[in-house]
């Protein structure tokens, strides 16, 4: 794709985001439940206090005015105050973002390694027990709800075996100075190796839970793409040249098989973001996903709107990424 | 079949087990390739030409399988050779160019990589990457590729059909094989390019002193380029011998019919008569002459398995009328 094509795609983001803004705004605004009541809870507040809070939050203004304010905020990247935290939304989100990025990246790595690895193996050993086993596992992996699988893992590894922590990102004693916000990186930067392994142990179960469905999907895609590649004339010709089996598998077949796999992976990473909300809630992971879930329950309009817009931007960028990767891997598209 | 052959195929059977039944794609092929010669292999589509020579290289994929026969090359039976030894021999001693260069070259790898990996697979790491690259450039120049250095970095789809064919020939010749199998090297090309490619193969054969098997639909092409010819019909060789002698006086009714169905340059007004009937289904073939249903000389004697019989100087034919 030419640089101009990339710019064009980025410009297409504008109407997409506008559309999403409208949907998000009205979905939140029209959902029953009053943020003021939810915030005050049982507290015996006077009508005056209620009124003043409503005014502070801008909720006393008419809907269309609130929408215009929201649009102006969105355009400048400012989303006002989070109702619940009484701090700027942007600050609250940026604090939670690294935890989600770390979890998503870990899940992505697991999905890529396991999915592509098993997919290649299943294709090479077609119809063997390993092929059947991974096919069944993949089927289970795609169809099992993430929260349920997560709870099973907690029961087995954390409760029964006591081998891994139940929730959180790191133990209290493992705190390290903020550098990137990714604990696996920050602990290494601070040379605290015990903390690094602690963070890794906390990360393992949620990352596996989050990555499972994607690993299963990638396994299926890789397997069928490998089988297709291995049946091509160019593989027969490569064999006729007398080059090694490993080269044929990993250079000739896999290079072609990765074209669909990587494209699917880039798009599916967006789905991982959605999965975060469930997994972070199950594992008490202090990330953006859990923040949004809490925000929905407390009708924290500014927070949810900002987060959903952020998700939308990331999702569209991932799609762009998928197209770029496709073009990079596929010489026929590139020229 | 008395000369010491470079490659001797005896009683080769390669069958494909499909849901409809067993496809006997190659069913008792006997064939010799002599040192330094060019052997033409001619037959209609589906007669088993490609399957025969993929069997030689051990590259028949399931559901296909070599059921019987010997493939003697350099004193060894390739049909019995362990996989690793067969791989070492492929590309180094016997090389092939496939029917369609567009699908045979890997679309995701540069042609440079595809040439270099072949060179490096067989010289046991003696030549480093740079030396192998230099060799690739030299070979591409030899086959008439303009600007070979620059084109090493290009992908197959960036070449014309004729140039792709040259790339495939380069790969096949990169390790100076003793035998080149050229599977219909010109079917996909226009007439002028066809002649260039065939001339290139002929030149390389002389330079390397190798044998060439030229698989073709076209008896005219074979008449021009090949010392000997073998005609295949429904998975069997039905006639073989010196090209000129076979064309001048064909012994098998199939060869006779094939020649009558071709226009002649010397006598353009001669009526063209296609062979009546159809190629038989290769599933559940009866134990009798394969050409029987279409043969003008069909007789009761043809109703059992016919073998290749000597039919004059260096000639063989699979027809009962030879023995009579
Ligand atoms: N994988 C396969 N499964 C079933 N049958 C096959 C398979 N491959 C080849 N055949 C059959 O084997 C027979 C011989 O095929 P082959 O490709 O050797 O013919 P050919 O003489 O090379 O023809 P062409 O001139 O079209 O290349 C055909 O009837 C074909 O249908
Ligand atoms: Mg063929």
């Amino acid at each position: 794709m030419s640089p101009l094509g990339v710019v064009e795609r980025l410009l297409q983001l504008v109407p997409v985001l506008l559309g999403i803004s409208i949907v998000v705004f009205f979905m939140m605004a029209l959902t029953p439940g009053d943020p003021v009541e939810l915030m005050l809870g049982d507290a015996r507040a006077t009508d005056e206090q209620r009124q003043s809070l409503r005014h502070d939050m801008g909720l006393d203004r008419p809907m269309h005015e609130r929408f215009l304010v929201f649009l102006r905020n969105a355009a400048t990247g400012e989303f006002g105050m989070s109702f619940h935290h009484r701090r700027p939304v942007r600050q609250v989100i940026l604090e939670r973002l690294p935890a989600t990025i770390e979890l998503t990246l870990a899940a992505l790595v697991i999905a890529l390694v396991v999915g592509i690895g098993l997919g290649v193996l299943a294709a090479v050993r077609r119809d063997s027990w390993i092929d059947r086993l991974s096919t069944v596992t993949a089927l289970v992996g795609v169809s099992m709800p993430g929260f349920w699988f997560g709870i099973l893992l907690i029961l087995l590894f954390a409760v029964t075996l006591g081998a891994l922590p139940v929730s959180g990102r790191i133990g209290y004693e493992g705190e390290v100075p903020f550098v990137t916000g990714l604990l696996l990186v920050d602990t290494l930067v601070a040379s605290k190796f015990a903390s690094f392994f602690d963070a890794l142990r906390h990360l393992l179960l949620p990352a596996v839970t989050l990555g499972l469905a994607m690993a299963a999907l990638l396994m299926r895609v890789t397997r069928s793409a490998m089988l297709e590649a291995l049946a091509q004339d160019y593989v027969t010709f490569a064999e006729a040249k007398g080059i090694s089996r490993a080269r044929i598998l990993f250079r000739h077949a896999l290079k072609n098989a990765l074209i669909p796999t990587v494209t699917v992976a880039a798009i599916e990473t967006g789905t991982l973001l959605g999965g975060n909300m469930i997994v972070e809630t199950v594992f008490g992971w202090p990330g953006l996903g859990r923040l949004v879930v809490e925000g929905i329950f407390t009708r924290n309009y500014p927070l949810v709107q900002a987060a959903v817009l952020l998700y939308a931007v990331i999702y569209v960028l991932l799609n762009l990424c998928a197209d770029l990767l496709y073009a990079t891997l596929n010489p026929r598209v590139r020229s | 079949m008395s000369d010491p052959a470079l490659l001797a195929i005896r009683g080769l059977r390669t069958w494909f087990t499909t849901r409809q039944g067993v496809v006997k794609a190659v069913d008792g092929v006997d064939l010799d390739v002599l040192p330094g010669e060019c052997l033409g292999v001619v037959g209609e589509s589906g007669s088993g030409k490609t399957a025969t020579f993929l069997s030689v290289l051990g590259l028949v994929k399931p559901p296909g399988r070599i059921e019987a026969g010997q493939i003697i090359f350099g004193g060894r039976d390739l049909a019995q050779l362990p996989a690793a030894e067969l791989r070492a021999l492929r590309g180094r001693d016997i090389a092939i160019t496939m029917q369609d260069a567009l699908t045979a070259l890997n679309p995701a790898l540069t042609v440079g990589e595809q040439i270099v990996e072949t060179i490096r697979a067989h010289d046991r790491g003696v030549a480093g990457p740079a030396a192998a690259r230099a060799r690739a450039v030299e070979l591409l120049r030899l086959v008439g590729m303009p600007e070979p250095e620059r084109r090493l970095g290009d992908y197959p789809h960036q070449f014309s059909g004729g140039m792709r064919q040259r790339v495939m020939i380069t790969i096949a010749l990169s390790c100076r094989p003793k035998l080149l199998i050229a599977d219909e090297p010109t079917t996909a090309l226009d007439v002028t390019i066809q002649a260039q490619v065939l001339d290139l193969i002929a030149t390389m054969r002389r330079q390397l002193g190798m044998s060439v098997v030229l698989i073709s639909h076209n008896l005219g092409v074979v008449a021009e380029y090949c010392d000997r010819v073998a005609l295949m019909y429904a998975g069997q060789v039905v006639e073989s011998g010196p090209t000129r002698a076979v064309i001048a006086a064909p012994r098998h009714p199939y060869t006779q019919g094939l020649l009558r169905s071709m226009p002649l340059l010397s006598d353009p007004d001669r009526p063209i008569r296609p062979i009546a009937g159809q190629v038989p289904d290769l599933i559940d073939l009866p134990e009798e002459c394969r050409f029987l249903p279409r043969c003008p000389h069909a007789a009761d004697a043809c109703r059992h398995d016919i073998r290749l019989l000597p039919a004059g100087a260096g000639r063989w034919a699979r027809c009962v009328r030879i023995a009579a």
Side-chain angles (χ1 to χ4, degrees):
Chain A
M1 201 181 293
S2 63
L4 208 67
V6 175
V7 171
E8 200 186 312
R9 288 288 299 267
L10 288 175
L11 285 179
Q12 283 171 9
L13 252 176
V14 175
V16 170
L17 290 181
L18 194 66
I20 291 174
S21 305
I22 296 172
V23 172
V24 170
F25 178 84
F26 286 102
M27 256 170 62
M28 281 304 278
L30 299 176
T31 320
D34 182 349
V36 174
E37 295 300 333
L38 285 165
M39 270 181 82
L40 293 175
D42 307 329
R44 298 197 177 280
T46 65
D47 274 350
E48 245 158 69
Q49 284 169 322
R50 277 167 215 273
Q51 216 44 58
S52 130
L53 186 58
R54 183 153 288 145
H55 179 76
D56 283 353
M57 293 174 12
L59 293 175
D60 54 347
R61 290 195 261 172
M63 187 83 88
H64 67 270
E65 233 175 81
R66 278 162 55 198
F67 181 62
L68 288 178
V69 170
F70 164 69
L71 278 189
R72 197 190 59 219
N73 285 350
T76 55
E78 284 295 340
F79 290 88
M81 292 297 212
S82 162
F83 290 172
H84 180 79
H85 305 83
R86 314 242 109 230
R87 285 195 293 137
V89 163
R90 193 164 67 177
Q91 194 186 341
V92 176
I93 287 182
L94 286 180
E95 268 172 21
R96 295 290 201 106
L97 199 54
T100 290
I101 291 177
E102 184 164 48
L103 177 58
T104 308
L105 284 180
L108 183 63
V109 168
I110 290 174
L112 286 174
V113 171
V114 173
I116 295 177
L118 278 185
V120 169
L121 198 64
V124 173
R125 301 250 176 281
R126 185 184 193 172
D127 293 332
S128 68
W129 65 268
I130 195 150
D131 181 19
R132 297 215 177 94
L133 185 70
S134 40
T135 301
V136 173
T137 313
L139 193 67
V140 174
V142 198
S143 33
M144 191 157 47
F147 72 91
W148 189 65
F149 181 64
I151 291 170
L152 284 186
L153 286 183
I154 291 177
L155 278 179
L156 178 62
F157 289 98
V159 177
T160 310
L161 297 175
L164 291 169
V166 183
S167 77
R169 285 181 83 191
I170 197 160
Y172 287 113
E173 63 283 4
E175 299 288 337
V176 286
F178 180 95
V179 183
T180 62
L182 308 181
L183 287 183
L184 289 188
V185 179
D186 290 358
T187 51
L188 287 183
V189 170
S191 302
K192 289 196 166 174
F193 298 109
S195 303
F196 173 81
F197 285 110
D198 188 34
L200 195 60
R201 277 160 32 88
H202 279 83
L203 184 57
L204 201 58
L205 292 187
V208 168
T209 308
L210 184 58
L212 174 79
M214 182 167 166
L217 180 70
L218 290 186
M219 185 258 154
R220 300 304 299 161
V221 175
T222 307
R223 180 186 180 271
S224 68
M226 270 304 273
L227 283 178
E228 192 189 320
L230 287 171
Q232 299 296 314
D233 276 358
Y234 58 75
V235 166
T236 307
F237 188 54
E239 288 172 326
K241 302 195 296 191
I243 62 179
S244 71
R245 180 85 186 140
R247 231 190 125 73
I248 290 170
L249 286 181
F250 295 110
R251 195 78 193 136
H252 282 262
L254 188 58
K255 177 113 194 261
N256 284 281
L258 278 183
I259 295 171
T261 307
V262 167
T263 309
V264 170
I267 295 171
E268 277 299 303
T269 307
T271 315
L272 281 189
L273 288 174
N276 269 328
M277 302 198 192
I278 293 161
V279 173
E280 288 183 4
T281 305
V282 171
F283 286 93
W285 189 263
L288 187 58
R290 209 176 67 170
L291 186 70
V292 171
V293 174
E294 288 161 4
I296 292 171
F297 284 127
T298 56
R299 302 290 181 275
N300 194 338
Y301 300 157
L303 177 76
V304 174
Q305 286 160 351
V308 172
L309 274 185
L310 180 64
Y311 280 129
V313 172
I314 296 176
Y315 201 88
V316 176
L317 289 180
L318 282 170
N319 271 295
L320 180 61
C321 223
D323 288 353
L324 289 175
L325 278 172
Y326 182 78
T328 314
L329 284 169
N330 194 340
R332 278 166 295 189
V333 178
R334 211 183 307 152
S335 52
Chain B
M1 297 191 182
S2 49
D3 299 23
L6 176 67
L7 172 73
I9 304 175
R10 293 288 175 271
L12 180 67
R13 289 178 207 280
T14 301
W15 296 354
F16 293 87
T17 310
T18 68
R19 229 169 280 165
Q20 289 75 39
V22 177
V23 180
K24 299 184 175 175
V26 179
D27 200 29
V29 162
D30 298 314
L31 207 62
D32 281 352
V33 182
L34 308 181
E37 81 165 342
C38 180
L39 172 72
V41 175
V42 179
E44 287 161 279
S45 195
S47 55
K49 306 180 295 293
T50 300
T52 300
F53 287 95
L54 283 183
S55 304
V56 169
L57 288 163
L59 290 178
V60 177
K61 302 263 174 71
R65 217 175 84 88
I66 297 180
E67 296 288 333
Q70 293 176 306
I71 302 163
I72 310 295
F73 181 88
R76 295 187 293 181
D77 183 359
L78 303 190
Q80 307 295 331
L81 218 56
E85 283 178 51
L86 199 56
R87 184 186 315 125
L89 180 140
R90 278 186 213 133
R92 192 190 63 198
D93 293 331
I94 307 180
I96 188 169
T97 65
M98 309 228 313
Q99 226 159 319
D100 180 0
L102 185 59
T103 59
L105 294 173
N106 194 321
L109 304 180
T110 63
V111 303
E113 176 170 355
Q114 298 186 57
I115 301 171
V116 166
E117 69 179 354
T118 319
I119 297 171
R120 301 201 68 201
H122 292 295
D123 66 8
R124 303 249 166 263
V126 176
R133 225 184 107 85
R135 177 89 179 281
V137 170
E138 180 198 322
L139 283 164
L140 279 178
R141 187 169 291 127
L142 204 62
V143 301
M145 174 81 62
E147 300 183 77
E149 286 96 347
R150 191 177 63 76
R151 305 238 61 186
L152 277 188
D154 284 348
Y155 291 88
H157 72 274
Q158 292 168 295
F159 291 79
S160 67
M163 284 299 153
R164 265 198 298 269
Q165 195 66 40
R166 281 166 205 259
V167 168
M168 200 159 57
I169 292 171
T170 304
I171 291 173
L173 298 183
S174 62
C175 298
R176 304 172 172 275
K178 300 189 180 83
L179 172 63
L180 172 70
I181 298 160
D183 193 352
E184 306 197 22
T186 58
T187 344
L189 308 177
D190 359 334
V191 185
T192 46
I193 315 269
Q194 280 187 13
Q196 288 175 14
V197 167
L198 289 168
D199 287 339
L200 172 66
I201 293 175
T203 311
M204 299 309 287
R205 172 164 78 98
R206 252 176 281 122
Q207 283 186 11
L208 298 179
M210 64 184 175
S211 305
V212 171
V213 171
L214 183 66
I215 300 178
S216 180
H217 283 133
N218 189 334
L219 204 50
V221 164
V222 167
E224 193 176 339
Y225 288 91
C226 299
D227 311 307
R228 289 194 315 123
V229 63
L231 289 113
M232 288 193 65
Y233 185 81
Q236 296 178 332
V237 172
V238 290
E239 175 157 9
S240 70
T243 313
R244 239 175 256 168
V246 170
I247 289 177
R251 304 295 306 268
H252 194 284
Y254 174 64
T255 321
Q256 293 163 358
L258 204 60
L259 282 166
R260 270 198 299 272
S261 71
M262 285 173 41
L264 277 187
L265 268 183
S266 54
D267 183 8
D269 296 331
R270 190 189 66 145
I272 294 173
R273 277 177 290 160
I275 307 173
Q278 285 175 357
V279 185
D281 187 353
L282 296 178
I283 298 175
D284 302 324
L285 283 166
E287 290 281 299
E288 58 182 30
C289 173
R290 301 274 151 97
F291 193 59
L292 180 65
R294 302 170 81 179
C295 185
H297 311 287
D300 275 350
C302 310
R303 296 213 170 272
H304 56 82
D305 197 19
I306 317 286
R307 300 198 301 133
L308 262 184
L309 302 166
R315 298 185 56 175
W316 300 79
R318 202 167 197 136
C319 180
V320 284
R321 303 198 310 141
I322 305 300

